[in-house]
Amino acid sequence: RFSKYLNGQFKKYGLPYSARRTPRSGAFYSLTSSDIMFFNTPSDSILDRMHWENKNVSQWDIYGWYEDALRKENTVGTHKTPIIIVRRPNRDVEFAIMNVKDMVKILLDIDILMHEKD
C-alpha cells in the first residue's frame, strides 16, 4: 500500500522516481535492509537516507520496530534514519513514526532550504 501511495505522489509531482516493496517482505540485505526500495532517485535523495519499515499489524511494538531498524542498519553499516509506516489491519489511515530528534532535524533542514531560495 505505501509504495503504491508513494508512486502516486511521484507521478502527481512529475518525478521520475518509483518505489517498490523489497522482495520477500523486506530486509533483502544484498539490496537494502529497508522494506521499501527506490529507483531513479538522485544519489543524495532524502528517501534513500531513510530506513523504511512497513507494518500492518494489530499489536504495535514501536520501540521494538525502531530498535530492529537500527540493528539492521548497524549490521549493514548504512546507518539510515528509521521511519516506521504502520497501520492496523482493515484500517485506511497509516502513520509515520520516527525519533523526534530525526523529525526536527529534517524539518529544520527543509526550513533552511526554503529560506535559502528567498
Side-chain angles (χ1 to χ4, degrees), residues 2 20 34 60 78 82:
F2 182 63
R20 291 191 193 116
S34 184
W60 290 17
T78 49

Side-chain angles (χ1 to χ4, degrees), residues 79-93:
H79 307 287
K80 294 180 179 181
T81 302
I83 184 166
I84 293 112
I85 307 301
V86 62
R87 76 180 188 102
R88 288 209 161 104
N90 304 313
R91 299 281 178 101
D92 291 330
V93 178

Side-chain angles (χ1 to χ4, degrees), residues 26-43:
F28 197 59
Y29 283 80
S30 64
L31 296 173
T32 180
S33 62
S34 184
D35 285 344
I36 299 288
M37 298 183 338
F38 293 95
F39 301 92
N40 302 317
T41 54
S43 60

